[in-house]
């Protein structure tokens, strides 16, 4: 099914879909995350799609030796979710480390894929190339299978992804198909083969013109103050041409800033660029700063309010963990029964 047709079907029958999505708690979420994924998650939630939002704390270790300040980052990630509009009454927010049965699914799932198949995964190759580790860990190598456990533990059948994540999702589809072929014995399928809802999210550059990233110091965090935002935008890269235009191919840095302002204003970037015209980089940065701060102001206010209620934040995660555990336990029992491992 094409992305357009799939999106139309989700709108028509949101109750037919269950989504698994999430993030690693490695630092504050930023505007790239918001316009790339968070905005769409809230949209799907508000349509009535059942949402499972994973705080992937175990997967922090895929590309680093230790998980620094993990507890703080987990709570910070939940704060960002709540501030962005994830509603714990309609979405299950949970953590890897709190759901043992989910992680136990990794063992039978690993038996369904070969080392050669994992080695060929282009996304894994790219992640290994950019790894912080001196050697490739088994967790990084088997990450796509762990992701399959994430998606299939709740029998997720819809996964919002970018094109770069399609190889991972194909591993999940392969695991589901092979498990059904091997253990369903001609009966009803045990796992769905989840569909990819391709993201039409814009590609936002960081303030240095490179990929927006937590670790590169080039991203505007959702929880940043207005002054911090102004400082980040002030030092953003532009170019020598005074007239502001929107041409991502030939003027990527300027166009990245124009796009950021346009997204926050909910306008076409060409119109935003035309308004600035000959105002130059100073006028562009002023518009971007004002647009971002105006857009994020209510989100930041909500985040600050939730941050004063840390007990509530922990309750959200505790309730999500309980629900995820109940579902994972049931799925693991079904898997063990299908495999004949019921002792």
């Amino acid at each position: 099914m094409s992305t357009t047709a799939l999106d139309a079907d989700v709108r028509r029958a949101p109750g037919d879909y269950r989504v698994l999505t999430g993030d690693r708690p490695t630092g504050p979420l930023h505007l790239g995350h918001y316009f790339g994924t968070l905005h769409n998650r809230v949209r799907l939630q508000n349509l009535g799609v059942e949402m499972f939002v994973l705080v992937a704390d175990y997967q922090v270790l895929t590309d680093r030796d230790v998980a620094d300040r993990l507890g703080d980052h987990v709570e910070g990630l939940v704060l960002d979710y709540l501030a962005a509009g994830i509603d714990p009454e309609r979405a299950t927010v949970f953590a890897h480390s709190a759901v043992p049965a989910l992680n136990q699914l990794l063992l039978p799932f690993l038996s369904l894929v070969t080392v050669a198949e994992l080695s060929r995964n282009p996304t894994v190759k790219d992640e290994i190339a950019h790894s912080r580790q001196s050697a490739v860990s088994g967790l990084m190598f088997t990450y796509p299978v762990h992701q399959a456990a994430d998606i299939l533990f709740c029998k997720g059948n819809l996964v919002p992804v970018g094109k770069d994540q399609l190889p991972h999702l194909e591993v999940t589809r392969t695991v589901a198909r092979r498990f059904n072929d091997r253990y369903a014995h001609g009966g009803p399928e045990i796992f769905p083969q989840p569909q990819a809802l391709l993201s039409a999210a814009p590609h936002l550059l960081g303030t240095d013109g490179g990929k927006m990233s937590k670790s590169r110091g080039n991203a505007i965090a959702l929880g940043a103050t207005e002054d911090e935002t102004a400082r980040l935008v002030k030092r953003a890269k532009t170019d020598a041409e005074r007239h502001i235009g929107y041409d991502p191919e030939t003027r990527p840095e300027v166009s990245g800033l124009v796009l950021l302002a346009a997204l926050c204003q909910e306008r076409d970037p060409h119109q935003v660029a035309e308004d600035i015209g000959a105002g130059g980089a100073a006028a562009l940065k002023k518009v971007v700063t004002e647009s971002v701060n105006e857009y994020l102001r209510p989100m930041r206010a909500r985040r600050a309010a939730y941050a004063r209620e840390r007990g509530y934040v922990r309750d959200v995660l505790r309730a999500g963990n309980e629900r995820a555990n109940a579902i994972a336990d049931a799925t693991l029992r079904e898997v063990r029964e299908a495999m004949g491992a019921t002792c």
Side-chain angles (χ1 to χ4, degrees), residues 3 16 45 52 54 69 76 116-117 160 167 196-197 221 227 229 243 252 262 271 275 280 283 297-298 319 323 328 343:
T3 297
D16 291 346
Q45 166 195 274
F52 285 79
L54 169 65
R69 299 177 53 218
E117 287 172 328
L197 183 62
D227 287 344
T229 298
H243 192 277
Q271 295 175 344
D275 287 351
R297 193 168 289 128
R323 180 155 192 266
C343 298

Side-chain angles (χ1 to χ4, degrees), residues 165-323:
Q165 290 293 310
L166 285 176
H168 279 1
L169 187 60
E170 192 54 41
V171 172
T172 301
R173 291 174 57 83
T174 297
V175 166
R177 184 174 61 254
R178 289 177 181 172
F179 192 93
N180 292 334
D181 289 345
R182 189 172 297 182
Y183 298 112
H185 308 299
E189 290 189 342
I190 296 167
F191 291 113
Q193 293 183 48
Q195 299 183 76
L197 183 62
L198 280 173
S199 171
H203 179 62
L204 279 178
L205 297 179
T207 53
D208 60 356
K211 180 182 178 182
M212 190 175 287
S213 169
K214 302 172 190 175
S215 61
R216 297 181 184 182
N218 66 355
I220 299 170
L222 300 183
T225 67
E226 296 196 4
D227 287 344
E228 287 168 344
T229 298
R231 285 195 294 272
L232 280 166
V233 175
K234 186 176 182 179
R235 68 173 191 241
K237 287 182 66 176
T238 54
D239 57 33
E241 188 174 339
R242 181 168 182 80
H243 192 277
I244 300 301
Y246 182 69
D247 186 347
E249 291 297 320
T250 62
R251 302 182 70 187
E253 293 93 351
V254 165
S255 297
L257 290 172
V258 170
L259 177 59
L260 183 52
L263 288 167
C264 291
Q265 294 180 24
E266 298 181 342
R267 296 175 63 207
D268 183 271
H270 294 93
Q271 295 175 344
V272 173
E274 186 176 339
D275 287 351
I276 300 169
L284 170 61
K285 291 180 179 181
K286 182 174 185 293
V287 168
V288 172
T289 299
E290 291 174 352
S291 300
V292 169
N293 281 333
E294 179 68 23
Y295 189 84
L296 289 182
R297 193 168 289 128
M299 199 181 304
R300 288 166 170 170
R302 288 194 298 271
R303 193 184 194 283
Y306 284 124
R308 292 191 290 270
E309 300 290 340
R310 289 298 179 122
Y312 173 74
V313 173
R314 296 184 188 108
D315 286 345
V316 166
L317 195 57
R318 187 179 303 113
N321 289 341
E322 288 177 1
R323 180 155 192 266

